[in-house]
Structures are given as structure tokens and as C-alpha cells.
């Protein structure tokens, strides 16, 4: 990540390694429907961590190139042109929700390239076509991919493992949606 820090503690805009010890091991993550961000506290101020493109927010997109390879964030957004049937975005709208026919209307209104399907628990899931083969992923798995990406950004920035995170959820989220977000964090 790019350092945006206290000028007196930085040399040429890069934090000195000794300063990394002052960072908290807890990060704050805004897991957004369209874009997400991660920040860390250094004891005096919050640093929003920039992604590899230098942006403070990262698209909440995941693109499955095959059953074992995926791209997250800006890379997923760029890959969508070639892999649209295996690209997921806005999946937070489905997290922790039971499957219902009304989700098909929502899918049509939002022009999602993926299918909304019912999983074995009766929950909403995401149906993709990856290299012509069907793949079903849960919204929690997609959120976990975004959270893992943001966690890796934070670990790279502070120079050590992130052990805890505070993840935002909308006030209107139901208990099942809050739990599904916790599950995504555990997967990440």
C-alpha cells in the first residue's frame, strides 16, 4: 500500500520500518455493496490503505477464472469484459437472504450477469458459468474473497499479520445478514 502518514515520521513518503510497530493489529473494513475499503489506526490517526492502483476504495468484485483461480477488486472489474459470466458484483445484496422469486426481479433490474439460485439451505446463492461449467458460490464466499484481499492489503501495509477486524454492516441488516457477514469474515 501507499503510505499516507505523518510527514515527520516518513522519509520520501515511505514509513520507516520502526514506525510499523505503532500500528494496531485491528483493521477497520467497510465492506460495501459496490466498493470496499480498509483502514488502520497508528495511535494518532487513521490511515485508509490504498490498493495497488493507488485508490482508497476497491471494487467489491470477484471474477472466477477457473475453479481454483479468482481475481478480486480492480483486476476482477477489468477481467469482466472477457469473463462476464463468471464475474460477481453487488453480491452483498444477497448475503444472508433466503431465496425468493422476488430476487429474480431484483437480478433483472440490476442487470446482473450471474444467476440467483437457491442453495441446499434455501438461501440465495450465485450461479456462474466458469469456462462453460456451472459453479455455485455463496454470497459469503464472495464477501470472504473481498475481505481476504483487503486483509492482505492491510498486512502488506503494516508489515505483520492482521489478527482482528471490525467490519461495517448497514443498520437495516437483519440478524441473518449480520451473521452471514460474520461467517464471511471467518472464511476470510
Amino acid at each position: 500500500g501507499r503510505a499516507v502518514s505523518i510527514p515527520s515520521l516518513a522519509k520520501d513518503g515511505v514509513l520507516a520500518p520502526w514506525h510499523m510497530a505503532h500500528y494496531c493489529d485491528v483493521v477497520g473494513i467497510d465492506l460495501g455493496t459496490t466498493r470496499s475499503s480498509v483502514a488502520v489506526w497508528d495511535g494518532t490517526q487513521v490511515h485508509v490503505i490504498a490498493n495497488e492502483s493507488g485508490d482508497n476504495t476497491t471494487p467489491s468484485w470477484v471474477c472466477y477464472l477457473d475453479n481454483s483461480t479468482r481475481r478480486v477488486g480492480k483486476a476482477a472489474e477489468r477481467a469482466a469484459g472477457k469473463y462476464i459470466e463468471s464475474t460477481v458484483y453487488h453480491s452483498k445484496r444477497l448475503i444472508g437472504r433466503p431465496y425468493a422469486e422476488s430476487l429474480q426481479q431484483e437480478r433483472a433490474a440490476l442487470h446482473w450477469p450471474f444467476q440467483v439460485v437457491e442453495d441446499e439451505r434455501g438461501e440465495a446463492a450465485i450461479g456462474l458459468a466458469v469456462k462453460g461449467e456451472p459453479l455455485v458460490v455463496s454470497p459469503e464466499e464472495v464477501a470472504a474473497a473481498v475481505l481476504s484481499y483487503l486483509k492482505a492489503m492491510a498486512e502488506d501495509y503494516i508489515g505483520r499479520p492482521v489478527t482482528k477486524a471490525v467490519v461495517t454492516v448497514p443498520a437495516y441488516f437483519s440478524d441473518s445478514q449480520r451473521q452471514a457477514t460474520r461467517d464471511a469474515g471467518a472464511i476470510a
Side-chain angles (χ1 to χ4, degrees):
R2 207 177 46 166
V4 285
S5 65
I6 306 166
S8 63
L9 297 176
K11 179 177 175 141
D12 300 325
V14 178
L15 291 173
W18 61 267
H19 188 259
M20 297 301 179
H22 294 93
Y23 280 104
C24 184
D25 288 337
V26 180
V27 295
I29 296 177
D30 178 9
L31 181 63
T33 302
T34 57
R35 301 187 74 75
S36 297
S37 63
V38 60
V40 66
W41 173 255
D42 74 356
T44 60
Q45 67 183 17
V46 173
H47 297 269
V48 177
I49 301 169
N51 61 23
E52 71 278 355
S53 300
D55 300 322
N56 287 338
T57 61
T58 296
S60 299
W61 289 46
V62 178
C63 178
Y64 295 85
L65 303 179
D66 57 44
N67 285 340
S68 62
T69 308
R70 66 180 183 223
R71 291 189 181 158
V72 180
K74 198 80 140 170
E77 196 176 50
R78 283 192 302 267
K82 185 175 180 182
Y83 301 98
I84 193 64
E85 292 181 340
S86 62
T87 301
V88 182
Y89 55 89
H90 294 174
S91 64
K92 184 174 151 186
R93 295 177 186 272
L94 299 173
I95 199 164
R97 290 178 64 183
Y99 179 82
E101 279 303 312
S102 61
L103 291 176
Q104 297 302 335
Q105 296 162 352
E106 191 172 332
R107 175 190 171 269
L110 293 169
H111 305 288
W112 285 337
F114 53 86
Q115 300 297 313
V116 178
V117 298
E118 185 174 4
D119 71 8
E120 65 280 351
R121 301 169 303 153
E123 300 287 319
I126 297 159
L128 302 169
V130 179
K131 292 193 171 189
E133 296 295 319
L135 175 68
V136 175
V137 295
S138 69
E140 293 86 350
E141 290 175 86
V142 175
V146 174
L147 289 170
S148 293
Y149 179 81
L150 296 171
K151 178 184 176 194
M153 281 175 40
E155 289 174 339
D156 182 53
Y157 185 78
I158 66 173
R160 64 178 181 276
V162 168
T163 57
K164 297 178 185 173
V166 176
V167 180
T168 62
V169 294
Y172 62 82
F173 258 26
S174 68
D175 287 343
S176 66
Q177 290 172 303
R178 291 172 195 272
Q179 184 57 51
T181 304
R182 279 188 213 96
D183 294 345
I187 294 168

